[in-house]
Amino acid sequence: SYCRAFLDLTFADPGIRRDLTKHFDVIGLQVISDTEITDEHGKTWTMKQYVAAEKAYVTPTLIFLRHDGKRLLRIVGYYPPEKFRGVLDYLLGGHYEREALGAFLARREPQSAAGSAIVRDPELFGAPPHTLDRRAAPGERPLLVLLERPGCASCEQFHRKVLKDSAIRALIKKYEAIQLDVTDAKTMVVIPTGERLSAKQWAERLDLAYAPALVFFDEHGKEVYRLDSELLHGRTESSLQLVLEKGYLDEPQLQRWRNLKGRQQQP
């Protein structure tokens, strides 16, 4: 459905379609296939290996290469037309040489009428101070970090259409979950490695392209999964389940994991 939305909505935009066909050779790959692929460095992978190496947790995943094979950008997940237009402008304007995609898109994003604060949900997300150091002993639960930006329409939609769902709220309560403002330079967080960073500094280190974003860590503080694109209901719920069931140990790619899980449940 997300790939179909990309084809039917994003790629159907005349300007986007024109710039893609003018400036790129577009190659489609199926993440659930068993074919082999030779990458830009001449290395051969099975599709499963390649998907895991690229951390293509969800589809669509897009990898942009320069004409000489140099990697320019990788985005994972669904980008609606206005956001993907920004991705193309970022690449075609050479902005990747000067700044991260997330900062570029944030400046272009129209601010919602909600104002200057993110929508807080204290029932789901713990209040500061946030001490997430898991070096000495593992946590009792996996860690979930929701990162948002003030005035972000997609963030407000995520609260309104996804976080209101009772099934998703029940799953999030099985995590140690916190909520951070990626522009907040004052609130300090002791991150899983033991370093003390502001929310803004940690978000920059995580190199997030999208808001909102969900970053998942295991009980030992290792990042195991992330959703860094438009967050809709079905994908959010399935991803929460995948991490809780430790599906990433065998199959971190969501579609492949769901297929594997379905086969295992067959009589």
Side-chain angles (χ1 to χ4, degrees), residues 62-95:
L62 285 82
I63 300 168
F64 294 89
L65 306 172
R66 207 168 62 179
H67 64 280
D68 58 1
K70 179 183 176 181
R71 179 71 60 93
L72 298 178
L73 183 68
R74 176 180 60 87
I75 59 173
V76 180
Y78 172 64
Y79 279 55
E82 66 278 6
K83 292 282 183 70
F84 191 71
R85 177 69 263 171
V87 171
L88 288 181
D89 290 346
Y90 174 78
L91 291 167
L92 298 177
H95 298 277

Side-chain angles (χ1 to χ4, degrees), residues 109-120 146-164 179 211-212 230-231:
E109 185 171 354
Q111 297 296 296
S112 76
S116 59
I118 65 174
V119 180
R120 295 289 180 181
L146 169 62
L147 299 109
E148 303 179 75
R149 186 180 301 279
C152 160
S154 294
C155 301
E156 292 159 17
Q157 177 176 279
F158 179 61
H159 281 267
R160 188 171 62 252
K161 294 187 176 181
V162 180
L163 287 186
K164 293 291 186 183
Q179 182 181 16
E230 198 76 2
L231 293 176

Side-chain angles (χ1 to χ4, degrees), residues 67 70 102 125 132 134 156 183 191 201 204 214 227 257:
H67 64 280
K70 179 183 176 181
F125 302 102
L132 310 176
R134 297 190 168 192
E156 292 159 17
T183 67
I191 68 174
Q201 288 172 324
E204 290 172 349
L214 290 173
L227 291 175
W257 176 74

Side-chain angles (χ1 to χ4, degrees), residues 2 9 14-15 18-19 25 36 52 62 75 102-103 110 137-138 150 163 196 206 208 231-233 241 251 254 257:
Y2 293 88
L9 301 175
R18 180 194 65 239
D19 284 346
D25 293 323
E36 288 189 342
L62 285 82
I75 59 173
L163 287 186
R196 190 169 184 266
L206 289 169
L208 301 167
L231 293 176
L232 304 180
H233 182 280
Q241 292 170 331
E251 184 49 79
L254 184 61
W257 176 74

